[in-house]
């Protein structure tokens, strides 16, 4: 006799279907105690998964076959996070399904255009006071463990109640040697589409075997319901009514709540992953620099440019092949698998994502990278592109490793603007460790370091030519100067200097004093 049976279990007050088992018994009276049915039942009972009495007295039904959105292994895995799917749950969903589920419109190329009202007042909550102190100027606050647990419970319940749940088991970092594995769980198809483009794939494993250092819960369409959260304090209710992020660097967990840009989702992932990377791979550094490569076999450049200067240009010397990088003495790899531009025309392929913001002209266009390799040669040079109109930064200059460390730490972006470490995300790593590693990578690799000031050139083609010269190693020698102590100018014939020497000396002295103060304040 062949029979298919399954049991409905009550977990988190919801019924879950357990995978059906087939039992074969030629002589039930003789083999009852040794039957496959009883062996499996006793095994599950010992593991605490099934109550024998409830099993025998429960309703018997045929379990539906696994289909897209109905995967018992995934449901069980989510249940381990206290998330119990009410309807469909997808692991690493396919692009056509995400496009079908996403709110927005598609153009003739099947590019998704999504419109949203972005909040300019997103608060980032930390559990670590030391990390909060480094981000206090960036709209950040401290969160208690008690409130953190309540928020996690609320967010997981919202995900459970959603029609669709999307799970991405991927990585931050394109190279296996330095990747950080991540599980991203969301109830929003647009966010899922963005993450599908963003996160590099990793070694495929079964859902229960996926060992990851990072976990992100994302609920953009979260709506606060006062009637279901009567136990929350007034401050908690106010918190849940606005977009916010919780960044738990110690456990590698992030919670993203409320409508936010995909750019912010990327920044939150970078915040938790950079700290995990430095803890697990102490010789690897997560950088906001672009990997800039030519079509030749030349080594690439690592280029810091705060305003996305390179992404808006069509240079002949090379192109941006990665927005963000992981750099170690053995490896240079992409941080992510997509690039976000601030114009629409770049989106020409099916499933590209254009994100528009109501009431502004801001546009985020996410396009997957077409790549031939997951790792690159060691960079021949590091370049800081600093647009400075004050006359302080020369058109072209060279830095020593020690000088490069100062510019990296201070994040000088030109015109008296400092953005430490050139990062837009929250600073979650040890400043001194990061600075020392950056300097050592330059020294150990014999890497040249330059500053280019585009404001000193009349045409972008001159900057393009200069990048080509750096990549080919054909760069003029730097000159000694009694004006600068933090750089050595390189003469560029086509540049003009609008300010006289005495004025430049005065401005430079003031600038270098501020630069040093900024560095000292960050490396305490």
């Amino acid at each position: 006799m062949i029979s298919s049976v399954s049991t409905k279990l009550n977990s988190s007050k919801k019924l879950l279907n357990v995978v059906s088992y087939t039992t074969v018994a030629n002589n039930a009276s003789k083999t009852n105690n040794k039957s496959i049915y009883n062996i499996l039942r006793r095994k599950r009972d010992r593991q605490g998964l099934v109550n024998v009495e409830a099993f025998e007295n429960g309703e018997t039904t045929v379990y539906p076959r696994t289909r897209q959105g109905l995967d018992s292994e995934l449901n069980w895995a989510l249940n381990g996070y206290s998330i119990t799917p009410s309807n469909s749950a997808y692991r690493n969903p396919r692009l056509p399904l995400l496009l079908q589920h996403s709110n927005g419109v598609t153009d003739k190329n099947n590019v998704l255009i999504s419109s949203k009202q972005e909040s300019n007042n997103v608060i980032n909550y930390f559990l670590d006071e030391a990390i909060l102190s480094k981000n206090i100027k960036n709209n950040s606050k401290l969160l208690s463990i008690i409130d953190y647990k309540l928020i996690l419970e609320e967010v997981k319940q919202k995900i459970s109640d959603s029609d669709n749940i999307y799970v991405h088991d991927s990585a931050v970092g394109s190279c296996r040697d330095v990747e950080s594995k991540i599980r991203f769980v969301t109830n929003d198809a647009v966010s899922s589409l963005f993450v599908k483009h963003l996160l590099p794939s990793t070694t495929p494993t079964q859902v229960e075997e996926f060992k990851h250092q990072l976990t992100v819960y994302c609920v953009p369409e979260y709506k606060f319901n006062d009637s279901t959260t009567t136990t929350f304090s007034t401050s908690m209710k106010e918190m849940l009514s606005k977009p916010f992020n919780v960044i738990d660097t110690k456990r590698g967990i992030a919670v993203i709540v409320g409508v936010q840009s995909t750019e912010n989702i990327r920044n939150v992932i970078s915040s938790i992953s950079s700290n995990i990377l430095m803890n697990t791979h102490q010789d690897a550094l997560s950088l906001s620099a672009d990997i800039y490569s030519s079509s030749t076999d030349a080594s690439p450049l690592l280029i810091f440019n705060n305003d996305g200067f390179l992404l808006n240009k069509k240079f002949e010397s090379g192109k941006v092949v990665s927005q963000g990088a992981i750099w170690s003495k053995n490896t240079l790899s992409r941080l992510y698998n997509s690039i976000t531009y601030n114009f629409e025309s770049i989106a020409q392929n099916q499933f590209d994502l254009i994100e528009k913001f109501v009431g502004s002209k801001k546009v985020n266009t996410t396009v997957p990278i077409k790549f031939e390799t997951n790792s690159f040669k060691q960079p021949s040079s590091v370049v800081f592109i600093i647009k400075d109109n004050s006359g302080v930064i020369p058109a072209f200059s060279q830095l020593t490793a020690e000088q490069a460390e100062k510019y990296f730490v201070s994040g000088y972006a030109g015109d008296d603007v400092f953005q430490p470490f050139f990062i837009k995300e929250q600073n979650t790593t040890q400043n001194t460790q990061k600075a020392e590693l950056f300097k050592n990578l330059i020294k150990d690799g014999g890497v040249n370091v330059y500053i280019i000031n585009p404001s000193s050139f009349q045409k972008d083609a001159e900057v393009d030519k200069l990048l080509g010269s750096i990549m080919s190693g054909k760069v003029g020698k730097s000159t000694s100067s009694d004006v600068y102590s933090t750089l050595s100018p390189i003469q560029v014939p086509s540049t003009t200097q609008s300010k006289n020497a005495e004025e430049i000396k005065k401005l430079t002295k003031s600038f270098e004093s501020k630069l040093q103060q900024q560095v000292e304040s960050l490396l305490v």
Side-chain angles (χ1 to χ4, degrees):
M1 178 180 67
I2 300 177
S3 62
S4 295
V5 297
S6 68
T7 303
K8 293 183 176 180
L9 298 178
N10 190 306
S11 178
S12 299
K13 298 183 180 180
K14 297 180 184 293
L15 292 178
L16 288 178
N17 287 324
V18 181
V19 178
S20 60
Y21 292 92
T22 302
T23 61
V24 180
N26 294 324
N27 191 338
S29 61
K30 294 182 180 180
T31 63
N32 182 52
N33 291 330
K34 296 182 180 181
S35 70
I36 294 175
Y37 171 84
N38 280 285
I39 292 171
L40 289 175
R41 185 182 66 180
R42 287 194 297 272
K43 183 178 179 180
R44 293 195 303 274
D45 186 49
R46 284 196 299 272
Q47 294 175 341
L49 297 180
V50 173
N51 180 279
V52 175
E53 183 179 353
F55 185 91
E56 292 175 342
N57 298 331
E59 180 184 352
T60 300
T61 184
V62 176
Y63 184 74
R65 291 183 178 180
T66 298
R67 58 169 172 77
Q68 190 176 24
L70 180 59
D71 185 333
S72 59
E73 291 185 358
L74 177 59
N75 288 353
W76 275 117
L78 288 172
N79 196 244
Y81 294 87
S82 299
I83 296 174
T84 305
S86 299
N87 195 353
S88 297
Y90 306 88
R91 186 187 187 216
N92 296 330
R94 298 173 64 244
L95 288 168
L97 180 138
L98 293 176
L99 188 67
Q100 180 183 2
H101 287 190
S102 295
N103 291 326
V105 297
T106 55
D107 65 9
K108 62 181 181 180
N109 295 322
N110 252 1
V111 172
L112 179 66
I113 303 173
S114 174
S115 298
K116 61 177 62 174
Q117 183 77 52
E118 183 188 18
S119 173
N120 295 321
N121 192 33
V122 178
I123 299 176
N124 294 289
Y125 289 91
F126 293 94
L127 283 72
D128 190 321
E129 289 191 42
I131 294 178
L132 174 66
S133 65
K134 296 193 293 185
N135 296 280
I136 198 69
K137 296 180 181 179
N138 299 327
N139 205 24
S140 302
K141 295 182 180 180
L142 190 67
L143 185 68
S144 70
I145 293 294
I146 294 175
D147 286 345
Y148 178 41
K149 290 180 178 179
L150 288 172
I151 289 169
L152 275 175
E153 183 180 347
E154 175 73 6
V155 166
K156 290 176 181 180
Q157 186 60 50
K158 291 297 180 184
I159 294 176
S160 297
D161 294 339
S162 303
D163 289 338
N164 297 299
I165 300 174
Y166 311 95
V167 179
H168 293 269
D169 286 346
S170 308
V172 178
S174 63
C175 180
R176 298 286 185 268
D177 293 339
V178 291
E179 70 177 9
S180 299
K181 293 184 180 179
I182 181 173
R183 174 163 282 167
F184 187 97
V185 184
T186 184
N187 60 354
D188 177 63
V190 175
S191 299
S192 183
L193 177 62
F194 171 72
V195 169
K196 181 80 171 179
H197 291 327
L198 182 74
L199 298 176
S201 59
T202 186
T203 305
T205 59
Q206 296 297 318
V207 62
E208 70 276 7
E209 297 172 354
F210 184 70
K211 307 300 182 184
H212 53 288
Q213 303 100 320
L214 307 171
T215 308
V216 179
Y217 305 98
C218 178
V219 283
E221 299 302 323
Y222 175 87
K223 287 183 172 45
F224 174 71
N225 187 347
D226 188 70
S227 62
T228 62
T229 54
T230 54
T231 59
F232 286 176
S233 64
T234 303
S235 59
M236 274 284 293
K237 291 179 181 180
E238 183 180 353
M239 175 181 175
L240 289 167
S241 66
K242 300 175 182 178
F244 68 89
N245 304 308
V246 179
I247 300 172
D248 180 357
T249 54
K250 182 178 181 180
R251 300 167 187 81
I253 298 174
V255 183
I256 302 171
V257 176
V259 177
Q260 301 180 37
S261 67
T262 52
E263 182 182 18
N264 195 60
I265 294 175
R266 173 193 168 110
N267 291 340
V268 169
I269 294 174
S270 296
S271 294
I272 58 170
S273 65
S274 58
N275 183 64
I276 292 294
L277 176 68
M278 292 197 73
N279 288 336
T280 56
H281 303 281
Q282 296 183 1
D283 66 337
L285 190 59
S286 176
L287 298 170
S288 62
D290 294 338
I291 300 177
Y292 188 78
S293 178
S294 68
S295 57
T296 65
D297 198 37
S299 296
L301 307 179
L302 269 177
I303 302 183
F304 292 91
N305 54 129
N306 264 19
D307 61 351
F309 174 81
L310 288 177
L311 294 180
N312 299 318
K313 313 298 180 185
K314 291 184 178 180
F315 283 170
E316 294 182 1
S317 59
K319 65 178 181 178
V320 175
V321 295
S322 176
Q323 191 176 27
I326 296 178
W327 189 20
S328 72
K329 62 181 180 180
N330 298 318
T331 307
L332 177 65
S333 57
R334 295 186 308 278
L335 193 59
Y336 298 114
N337 262 7
S338 65
I339 295 178
T340 297
Y341 301 84
N342 59 8
F343 55 93
E344 297 182 44
S345 59
I346 191 71
Q348 299 177 354
N349 299 313
Q350 190 178 27
F351 310 122
D352 287 352
L353 174 61
I354 297 176
E355 188 179 25
K356 294 184 176 181
F357 300 92
V358 178
S360 73
K361 295 182 179 180
K362 179 181 175 181
V363 172
N364 286 338
T365 302
T366 300
V367 176
I369 297 170
K370 295 180 179 178
F371 54 87
E372 297 179 354
T373 180
N374 286 324
S375 58
F376 303 84
K377 292 181 178 179
Q378 286 289 301
S380 61
S381 302
V382 170
V383 180
F384 296 96
I385 293 183
I386 301 176
K387 296 175 70 174
D388 184 80
N389 296 292
S390 67
V392 171
I393 301 297
F396 189 34
S397 15
Q398 186 166 11
L399 309 178
T400 65
E402 288 76 16
Q403 291 169 340
E405 180 187 22
K406 290 185 176 182
Y407 279 89
F408 172 65
V409 172
S410 69
Y412 184 64
D415 299 334
D416 210 28
V417 174
F418 294 91
Q419 189 173 325
F421 302 100
F422 293 92
I423 58 175
K424 293 183 179 179
E425 66 269 15
Q426 305 299 300
N427 186 8
T428 58
T429 54
Q430 295 294 329
N431 291 353
T432 304
Q433 181 184 359
K434 184 189 298 185
E436 189 70 18
L437 179 55
F438 182 73
K439 181 177 65 176
N440 290 340
L441 285 169
I442 291 171
K443 280 186 172 182
D444 295 344
V447 178
N448 296 314
V449 186
Y450 303 98
I451 290 179
I452 297 176
N453 180 7
S455 298
S456 296
F457 296 90
Q458 296 180 352
K459 297 179 180 179
D460 287 338
E462 294 175 300
V463 177
D464 186 9
K465 184 177 179 181
L466 197 52
L467 289 173
S469 298
I470 294 173
M471 198 168 290
S472 64
K474 299 177 181 179
V475 178
K477 293 183 178 180
S478 59
T479 59
S480 59
S481 171
D482 61 347
V483 178
Y484 299 95
S485 64
T486 60
L487 55 83
S488 299
I490 298 175
Q491 296 298 325
V492 180
S494 62
T495 61
T496 59
Q497 194 61 263
S498 59
K499 294 182 172 62
N500 59 51
E502 287 302 318
E503 187 178 359
I504 291 174
K505 277 188 178 183
K506 183 178 179 181
L507 290 170
T508 301
K509 185 176 181 180
S510 175
F511 156 69
E512 292 190 330
S513 176
K514 290 181 181 178
L515 183 74
Q516 184 63 30
Q517 290 175 8
Q518 176 78 351
V519 172
E520 290 175 355
S521 69
L522 291 166
L523 298 183
V524 291

